[in-house]
Amino acid sequence: MYAVKQPTTASLKSNVAVDRRVTGSGTYIKVRKASVLGSGSRVNGHGSVRAVISGGDKAVEASTPVQSKDGTGSLVPSSSGGIQVKAVVTIRKKMKEKITEKIEDQWEFFVNGIGQGIMIQLISEQVDPVTNSGKSVQSAVRGWLPRPLPSDYAHIVEYAADFTVPSDFGSPGAILITNLQGKEFYLLEIVIHGFDGGPVFFPANTWIHSRKDNPESRIIFKNQVYLPSQTPAGLRDLRREDLLSIRGNGKGRRKEHDRIYDYDVYNELGNPDKDQELARPVIGGEERPYPRRCRTGRPPTKSDPLSESRIEKPHPVYVPRDETFEEIKQNTFSAGRLKALLHNLLPSLAATLSSSDIPFKAFSDIDDLYNDGVLIKEEEQKEGKKLFLGSMVKEVLTVGERWLKYEIPAVIKRDRFAWLRDNEFARQTLAGVNPVNIEILKEFPIISKLDPAVYGPPESAITKELIEQELNGISVEKAIEDKRLFILDYHDIFMPFIEKMNSLPGRKAYASRTVFFFTPTGIMRPIAIELSLPPTSSSPHSKHVYTHGHHATTHWIWKLAKAHVCSNDAGIHQLVNHWLRTHACMEPYIIATHRQLSSMHPIYKLLHPHLRYTLEINALARQSLINGGGIIEASFSPGKYAMEVSSAAYKNVWRFDMEALPADLIRRGMAVQDPSAPSGVRLVIEDYPYAADGLLIWSAIKEWVESYVEHYYSEPNSVTSDVELQDWWSEIKNKGHYDKRNEPWWPKLKTKEDLSGILTTMIWVASGQHAAINFGQYPFGGYVPNRPTLMRKLIPQEDDPDYEKFISNPQQTFLSSLATKLQATKVMAVQDTLSTHSPDEEYLGQVNPLHSHWINDQEILKTFNRFSNRLKEIEKIIEKKNRDSHLKNRSGAGIPPYELLLPSSGPGVTGRGIPNSISI
């Protein structure tokens, strides 16, 4: 990394010169004192610092008049005999500041105003023949620009620095920035004015550390992209050194200000030092394979050297500094947490006072969660301030009732009894929050792949005769041929864990299979549910098959069977489709992108919007969601074995090449190849909202990515000769997904088509795929009976002691089988938070106004505008489909429209909107 030897306080009043030397480890920059200017000195009558140009060991002041050169980004001559260049430095302050922070700001304004706060060094793309590295000039930032900014950007401040540069300086390509202050600041961008061809933009959007935390200067490149082989000579060393500074060496504990990206296994989910009951195995490795997470480097626990010690709330888990939530996002997330705290307050107190958790006794108890809940009215707030201790609770009580109320979930808002119906149960496999597990039934009988010596006969108990009773005269063979039988199969993923899961207190689960019939009228209907337990010596055939029946008893048992299926579905949705396939699998792509692709690499520019906030939300999840004793373990059927279930799915199911939407649909038999279709596939069920809308989004992303890749990789062999790109893909496979490194299905990276396919998949997973399975969590799961996350009782059999209780009060049996009040409110609170869009959300096809100078390529900007306009067209197409009465899975009496893949959204729980990245 480029180290800057810092001047003393006295020398900060002076102009400076730089000496750049090439050493074995790269270029070394030494800032040395030049002619002293007193604090009251004024140069050229503008109060600016006139930079002295480095010419080897000799400081040379530019004074010769020069002529401008045409179209090369060269310099505009100054009438006073030098080339005057102005840098405008834009910094973002906190929106809401404490009194102490405001005082610190005033000091910062003063320090920067007199040129003792920030030093910037402008680096040319051209090489200085003396130093053999990019030519450079340096200046202190002085003063601030009084130019008023719109009220929305009142927290944005601008400073200026003036340079005098020689005529042969060439085009600027990078800036070294040194923060001489005692605390970090957030740099939005630097714009250099005075070069021919207009201003030169250096987008930053980064925290600049204080030199007391790290003596190295930060390198900011301009918004021009270069493949590694095209890097201007003056920037080559800087490009390499910037990447090296980000990678770290795999040692030491990471500090809050660090920007180090490195890999580690999931070895900090347990807390054995606190309680051996909280000990958890390492996830990641041969026994329990898993993607890697971002390394934090905390010391091991005392009781287990393989486990990393934990850090608990409110202390933050390390993520590289620029990955942390920005202020608006942090406030939104904190508000959700406090809302959850209050929502769970009364059930927690009730459970504590009664020494046990309380089940729901009537459906009206569940309705009260929305009608009453813990809604604190104004007069109660006043009493609350007297009763509750602690400033946090007092502060929360002042936010008013709007923060404390949970909305009625969308699934029951239009029709409160919809969840009871078979067609709604089936519809949600195509248009619900987990529409990615339904698959076509390709052969019969249904056979398990598990070891029969351990798990008994592999054949399902769902027989041909039983299915044909439900097919109105159609044979099973004919139904399979006509693509009318479908299955939701959670047997093999859950069966190895059922015995352990059912040994946990208050947990009872089956491994389920559900067969559906797609009727000629276009309605999906469940016709049989198989619920299996591991065979025992007393019960070697523990497989029960249920149908809906027409008798009151069979009808209630069918309801319980559906609830157990939903509980399986909720667990796989959360642990596999949501956490593993989007959050956890994206993390290595993010780490590798920062470690191997320079910020001036075109693929870095393309991917960067799709990486935002993911490492931070994943770190928060490791801290309080997927950790030992965390919310997922407390609220979902697998309990303490949750991450082991997730690891098993990674081992047995996950493949990168199957994460592409068309490939996934073909694998599940939900689509067939069709070269004439825009996406290359044709759906087996046209009215499959997730897939139909998803393919529109997929195709738009694919077209945008292919155009982008073609633009930068038009030359033969340009993909294979891109060393950064090849190292990036190699690292993803061999480090980020180390446990899968030898799999034969990894795509090759030899052609631009290979590259486009890989990138489209990554962007789809981060945007459309995550949106489809995340933002419907509260709208569908917020009503507990619709998607119970766990079940506490098995279905009563006729010889069970509880069977008579079931017969006499089936509703009570059903409700007492669901999660308790505290378990339900916990998961509701989390689902509400996870379904919430922050006001600073950045959506697919949109660019943050503060990041408008992200790339200096007019052709790419035009292509992006086409992509953005296509997404607006898709939004109208989806809205039109939601009004089409022929599409029964997205329209009809009481049926909520399918909006999860509408690209745009406002803030809050909206059940729509595709953010660029996995940001919650």
Side-chain angles (χ1 to χ4, degrees):
M1 183 81 177
Y2 283 81
V4 176
K5 182 179 177 183
Q6 304 300 342
T8 63
T9 304
S11 69
L12 286 171
K13 296 179 182 178
S14 68
N15 204 346
V16 291
V18 291
D19 181 13
R20 300 172 55 85
R21 295 192 178 97
V22 179
T23 67
S25 60
T27 305
Y28 174 77
I29 303 174
K30 182 171 73 177
V31 179
R32 59 186 175 82
K33 185 176 177 182
S35 54
V36 175
L37 298 172
S39 59
S41 300
R42 294 173 62 82
V43 181
N44 295 336
H46 300 297
S48 59
V49 173
R50 189 173 181 187
V52 178
I53 312 307
S54 170
D57 291 327
K58 184 179 179 182
V60 181
E61 186 170 329
S63 58
T64 309
V66 296
Q67 298 299 314
S68 172
K69 299 178 183 179
D70 293 331
T72 60
S74 53
L75 298 156
V76 178
S78 165
S79 58
S80 61
I83 306 301
Q84 295 300 309
V85 176
K86 180 183 290 291
V88 176
V89 180
T90 307
I91 293 172
R92 189 188 68 209
K93 313 297 296 180
K94 284 184 72 172
M95 295 179 183
K96 294 181 180 178
E97 294 186 315
K98 299 173 184 174
I99 294 295
T100 53
E101 290 171 326
K102 290 181 178 179
I103 293 170
E104 287 175 356
D105 277 353
Q106 293 306 311
W107 174 248
E108 184 181 309
F109 286 145
F110 172 73
V111 169
N112 287 338
I114 61 173
Q116 296 190 19
I118 303 169
M119 302 292 290
I120 59 176
Q121 187 167 5
L122 191 60
I123 311 294
S124 172
E125 293 183 343
Q126 294 183 10
V127 170
D128 184 329
V130 177
T131 64
N132 205 29
S133 56
K135 299 173 183 176
S136 67
V137 293
Q138 180 160 303
S139 174
V141 170
R142 281 182 179 257
W144 52 92
L145 300 179
R147 182 162 61 91
L149 292 166
S151 58
D152 288 352
Y153 300 111
H155 57 294
I156 307 292
V157 295
E158 292 182 342
Y159 296 99
D162 289 291
F163 296 93
T164 305
V165 293
S167 59
D168 62 350
F169 184 77
S171 298
I175 288 174
L176 301 187
I177 183 162
T178 308
N179 177 7
L180 309 178
Q181 302 166 61
K183 66 174 187 177
E184 65 183 2
F185 64 83
Y186 191 85
L187 178 66
L188 282 171
E189 71 174 0
I190 299 175
V191 185
I192 305 295
H193 299 271
F195 284 88
D196 190 26
V200 183
F201 294 95
F202 293 77
N205 304 301
T206 184
W207 288 96
I208 305 297
H209 58 256
S210 166
R211 66 168 175 175
K212 73 179 177 60
D213 292 325
N214 184 343
E216 297 174 339
S217 296
R218 283 292 309 282
I219 304 168
I220 310 295
F221 294 107
K222 73 175 177 182
N223 62 348
Q224 178 70 45
V225 299
Y226 296 106
L227 294 175
S229 60
Q230 300 167 343
T231 311
L235 304 181
R236 284 176 195 153
D237 285 346
L238 287 171
R239 182 171 186 147
R240 183 176 63 86
E241 294 293 340
D242 191 42
L243 282 175
L244 289 175
S245 74
I246 284 172
R247 291 176 193 161
N249 59 7
K251 299 177 183 177
R253 181 171 182 169
R254 299 274 61 88
K255 299 181 180 66
E256 190 177 350
H257 64 264
D258 283 344
R259 295 171 59 246
I260 305 298
Y261 295 78
D262 207 349
Y263 300 95
D264 208 342
V265 292
Y266 283 71
N267 60 354
E268 28 74 283
L269 300 178
N271 195 350
D273 287 352
K274 181 179 180 182
D275 185 344
Q276 274 301 311
E277 283 296 309
L278 294 176
R280 295 293 180 268
V282 172
I283 305 294
E286 189 174 345
E287 187 177 352
R288 297 179 185 87
Y290 217 61
R292 297 305 188 253
R293 50 105 175 170
C294 187
R295 182 184 176 278
T296 56
R298 296 192 302 272
T301 59
K302 295 173 184 174
S303 50
D304 179 8
L306 296 179
S307 293
E308 186 173 273
S309 56
R310 285 187 56 75
I311 188 164
E312 305 292 356
K313 293 182 297 186
H315 304 292
V317 175
Y318 167 79
V319 293
R321 186 65 183 98
D322 290 338
E323 304 296 332
T324 56
F325 288 165
E326 294 179 21
E327 190 178 358
I328 293 174
K329 177 73 170 182
Q330 184 60 56
N331 291 342
T332 304
F333 193 78
S334 298
R337 271 186 170 171
L338 295 174
K339 181 178 173 183
L341 171 80
L342 280 165
H343 196 67
N344 294 328
L345 195 60
L346 295 185
S348 297
L349 288 172
T352 304
L353 293 172
S354 67
S355 301
S356 66
D357 206 350
I358 302 168
F360 294 108
K361 291 185 170 62
F363 282 101
S364 57
D365 288 355
I366 300 173
D367 295 339
D368 287 345
L369 293 175
Y370 319 105
N371 299 335
D372 300 323
V374 290
L375 184 61
I376 298 177
K377 309 243 181 335
E378 292 298 325
E379 62 273 13
E380 292 169 339
Q381 287 185 33
K382 294 172 186 173
E383 290 301 312
K385 288 180 185 179
K386 297 175 188 174
L387 292 172
F388 288 103
L389 299 176
S391 59
M392 182 177 70
V393 174
K394 289 179 184 176
E395 189 174 329
V396 174
L397 292 174
T398 64
V399 301
E401 60 182 56
R402 64 193 177 88
W403 283 110
L404 307 179
K405 183 181 177 183
Y406 281 82
E407 294 296 326
I408 297 172
V411 71
I412 59 164
K413 199 166 192 176
R414 295 171 179 231
D415 181 353
R416 64 177 301 185
F417 301 112
W419 68 276
L420 284 165
R421 292 195 294 271
D422 284 356
N423 62 344
E424 178 61 18
F425 171 77
R427 189 190 74 85
Q428 288 183 31
T429 67
L430 300 171
V433 70
N434 190 40
V436 296
N437 281 105
I438 188 76
E439 54 188 316
I440 202 161
L441 187 61
K442 295 175 182 174
E443 54 189 13
F444 203 86
I446 303 163
I447 304 291
S448 168
K449 294 185 175 70
L450 297 177
D451 183 356
V454 179
Y455 300 104
E459 295 83 12
S460 167
I462 299 174
T463 63
K464 181 182 179 202
E465 292 74 23
L466 190 145
I467 289 182
E468 288 181 346
Q469 289 175 19
E470 304 290 332
L471 296 187
N472 303 321
I474 304 173
S475 69
V476 166
E477 292 79 9
K478 178 64 174 170
I480 289 176
E481 182 186 339
D482 292 347
K483 295 183 169 55
R484 293 206 171 272
L485 287 179
F486 296 83
I487 187 169
L488 203 58
D489 193 344
Y490 297 130
H491 180 278
D492 286 8
I493 183 66
F494 272 124
M495 183 57 81
F497 296 94
I498 291 294
E499 188 175 350
K500 291 192 287 188
M501 286 163 54
N502 286 351
S503 69
L504 297 171
R507 304 293 167 97
K508 289 294 180 280
Y510 301 95
S512 69
R513 289 188 179 105
T514 310
V515 175
F516 300 85
F517 177 56
F518 187 62
T519 69
T521 57
I523 300 295
M524 189 79 95
R525 183 165 62 86
I527 58 176
I529 293 173
E530 178 192 64
L531 300 179
S532 302
L533 295 171
T536 63
S537 55
S538 59
S539 179
H541 302 292
S542 305
K543 298 177 181 177
H544 298 279
V545 179
Y546 302 94
T547 58
H548 55 82
H550 300 285
H551 183 266
T553 302
T554 55
H555 194 63
W556 271 105
I557 289 176
W558 176 245
K559 277 192 184 68
L560 284 166
K562 287 195 296 182
H564 274 281
V565 172
C566 287
S567 176
N568 275 190
D569 190 71
I572 294 302
H573 164 259
Q574 197 65 264
L575 297 169
V576 179
N577 300 329
H578 182 210
W579 171 256
L580 169 65
R581 291 176 60 191
T582 64
H583 285 260
C585 285
M586 273 301 297
E587 187 146 344
Y589 312 153
I590 295 167
I591 297 169
T593 298
H594 285 284
R595 284 168 55 89
Q596 298 297 340
L597 299 181
S598 166
S599 58
M600 66 170 77
H601 195 290
I603 302 307
Y604 178 94
K605 292 280 190 186
L606 175 69
L607 286 176
H608 190 257
H610 306 290
L611 316 181
R612 185 182 189 226
Y613 289 159
T614 305
L615 293 191
E616 171 83 337
I617 197 65
N618 286 4
L620 288 164
R622 299 199 309 274
Q623 190 175 43
S624 57
L625 284 183
I626 63 170
N627 59 302
I631 290 167
I632 297 298
E633 288 192 2
S635 307
F636 288 80
S637 289
K640 65 189 287 187
Y641 305 106
M643 286 299 287
E644 293 182 58
V645 172
S646 191
S647 170
Y650 180 69
K651 180 179 183 178
N652 299 320
V653 180
W654 187 86
R655 294 175 47 154
F656 181 88
D657 59 331
M658 292 293 115
E659 293 303 291
L661 178 59
D664 174 60
L665 293 170
I666 290 170
R667 178 182 62 84
R668 292 190 284 121
M670 301 303 290
V672 294
Q673 288 186 327
D674 182 357
S676 66
S679 57
V681 299
R682 175 172 48 82
L683 293 176
V684 169
I685 298 176
E686 181 188 355
D687 188 15
Y688 183 1
Y690 157 76
D693 296 358
L695 287 171
L696 291 173
I697 300 296
W698 168 272
S699 298
I701 294 170
K702 183 171 179 280
E703 184 180 344
W704 153 239
V705 169
E706 286 176 345
S707 299
Y708 189 97
V709 168
E710 172 64 36
H711 183 71
Y712 291 109
Y713 292 91
S714 56
E715 296 298 319
N717 303 319
S718 53
V719 170
T720 52
S721 63
D722 185 335
V723 291
E724 286 183 7
L725 190 69
Q726 294 298 325
D727 287 346
W728 168 78
W729 186 233
S730 175
E731 182 164 296
I732 285 171
K733 295 181 293 182
N734 296 311
K735 285 191 176 181
H737 285 272
Y738 179 83
D739 302 328
K740 293 273 193 177
R741 65 195 181 282
N742 295 322
E743 296 287 357
W745 41 252
W746 283 105
K748 300 288 187 281
L749 183 52
K750 294 183 177 179
T751 67
K752 58 191 176 188
E753 290 77 20
D754 295 339
L755 178 57
S756 295
I758 289 166
L759 295 170
T760 302
T761 298
M762 287 181 179
I763 293 172
W764 160 252
V765 169
S767 56
Q769 179 72 346
H770 180 258
I773 57 181
N774 181 73
F775 292 103
Q777 288 193 80
Y778 185 77
F780 285 98
Y783 186 66
V784 180
N786 183 60
R787 282 184 68 77
T789 56
L790 62 81
M791 297 293 283
R792 299 191 300 131
K793 294 180 180 179
L794 297 176
I795 295 177
Q797 304 301 312
E798 289 189 28
D799 55 352
D800 290 344
D802 287 342
Y803 191 74
E804 285 304 317
K805 288 183 181 177
F806 163 65
I807 294 297
S808 62
N809 193 343
Q811 175 178 292
Q812 182 57 39
T813 298
F814 182 86
L815 289 170
S816 64
S817 298
L818 302 179
T820 63
K821 284 187 179 181
L822 181 56
Q823 288 169 329
T825 53
K826 268 187 178 178
V827 80
M828 274 176 61
V830 170
Q831 288 171 334
D832 180 81
T833 300
L834 297 182
S835 302
T836 299
H837 289 295
S838 171
D840 73 336
E841 199 84 89
E842 294 176 7
Y843 296 96
L844 195 63
Q846 297 179 5
V847 174
N848 185 321
L850 294 174
H851 303 168
S852 57
H853 303 126
W854 66 281
I855 198 166
N856 180 27
D857 191 316
Q858 292 306 310
E859 190 61 39
I860 288 299
L861 291 174
K862 288 177 187 175
T863 306
F864 182 81
N865 284 336
R866 285 198 297 273
F867 172 55
S868 183
N869 289 331
R870 175 56 184 159
L871 290 172
K872 291 173 185 174
E873 292 171 7
I874 289 171
E875 191 153 307
K876 291 177 182 175
I877 292 169
I878 293 173
E879 288 169 344
K880 184 179 179 182
K881 286 197 288 187
N882 283 335
R883 296 190 296 269
D884 187 343
S885 60
H886 295 96
L887 300 175
K888 297 180 177 66
N889 288 323
R890 62 198 310 156
S891 65
I895 293 176
Y898 187 77
E899 297 181 327
L900 288 169
L901 286 169
L902 283 172
S904 69
S905 175
V909 179
T910 63
R912 60 177 287 167
I914 305 176
N916 271 323
S917 63
I918 300 168
S919 58
I920 190 67

